[in-house]
Amino acid sequence: MKRSPSETELVIRRAGIQDTPLILSFIQQLARYEKLEDQVEATQEKLQESLFSPNPVAHVLIADWDGKPAGFAVYFFNYSTFLAQPGLYLEDLYVNPGQRGKGIGRTLLAEVAGVARKHKCGRLEWAVLDWNEPAIHFYQKLGATALSEWTLFRLKNADLEGVTATS
């Protein structure tokens, strides 16, 4: 358990399988905020399989404020050939709108950064929607740099099927 230095009301904890409905709820709330609700295909079953199997593909931290869920962070490890080190990718960072401004997001990000340091990661990266000015400002205040020279590409579900050695 992790408490913020100035507030005893905040506890950051690793999610357990019992948190699956909460995690799905946070994902849905984040999608609503990002105007991407139609893209959510996550179910409790899929989350349990991917997050709480013997070999989870991602990890989740939950922020509890005064004993109530306030936000979450989802991250996974990757690898940098240029650095010859592991990296950490922050997939989601979300704090309930009514609980923002209390240091919850910063504490969640600090905990994720601590995980990166513990695992000797050479970098911590994430993506932000270009219209999300509050998030961009928050990350810039922490010293994060936008990588404008990189373009993000994606192959999704059926598109993956079309990628073969002969296509």
Side-chain angles (χ1 to χ4, degrees), residues 35-36 38 40 61 67 74 82 90-91 98 103 127 130 148 150 152 157 163:
K35 302 172 184 95
L36 299 170
D38 61 322
V40 176
L61 298 175
V74 179
F82 286 12
L90 178 63
E91 178 67 21
D130 60 5
S148 59
W150 291 88
L152 185 64
N157 298 329
V163 179

Side-chain angles (χ1 to χ4, degrees), residues 28-36 94 97 100 131-132 134-135:
Q28 291 165 335
Q29 291 173 58
L30 175 61
R32 195 170 311 120
Y33 175 77
E34 292 182 338
K35 302 172 184 95
L36 299 170
Y94 177 78
R100 294 180 185 157
W131 58 261
N132 193 345

Side-chain angles (χ1 to χ4, degrees), residues 137-155:
H137 180 70
F138 169 72
Y139 295 131
Q140 287 174 333
K141 262 178 69 175
L142 295 175
T145 305
L147 302 177
S148 59
E149 68 274 12
W150 291 88
T151 301
L152 185 64
F153 284 87
R154 175 177 293 155
L155 285 171

Side-chain angles (χ1 to χ4, degrees), residues 9-13 19 22 26 62-72 95-96 99 102 104:
E9 296 91 353
L10 179 60
V11 175
I12 306 296
R13 61 181 175 83
D19 293 308
L22 174 63
F26 279 141
I62 303 287
D64 290 321
W65 182 269
D66 275 341
K68 296 182 182 124
F72 82 139
V95 175
N96 289 330
Q99 294 169 305
K102 297 178 179 181
I104 297 168

Side-chain angles (χ1 to χ4, degrees), residues 1-12 64-65 102-104 106-108 111:
M1 289 209 294
K2 167 105 174 149
R3 296 185 187 276
S4 71
S6 62
E7 300 289 340
T8 57
E9 296 91 353
L10 179 60
V11 175
I12 306 296
D64 290 321
W65 182 269
K102 297 178 179 181
I104 297 168
R106 184 182 186 101
T107 304
L108 274 167
E111 189 73 12

Side-chain angles (χ1 to χ4, degrees), residues 62-138:
I62 303 287
D64 290 321
W65 182 269
D66 275 341
K68 296 182 182 124
F72 82 139
V74 179
Y75 64 91
F76 58 88
F77 294 94
N78 55 27
Y79 186 75
S80 167
T81 56
F82 286 12
L83 299 177
Q85 284 180 270
L88 196 144
Y89 190 84
L90 178 63
E91 178 67 21
D92 290 327
L93 178 67
Y94 177 78
V95 175
N96 289 330
Q99 294 169 305
R100 294 180 185 157
K102 297 178 179 181
I104 297 168
R106 184 182 186 101
T107 304
L108 274 167
L109 187 58
E111 189 73 12
V112 172
V115 171
R117 287 189 302 272
K118 176 183 172 189
H119 291 275
K120 298 182 178 15
C121 293
R123 59 186 176 203
L124 167 59
E125 296 178 315
W126 61 92
V128 180
L129 290 168
D130 60 5
W131 58 261
N132 193 345
E133 288 296 324
I136 292 168
H137 180 70
F138 169 72

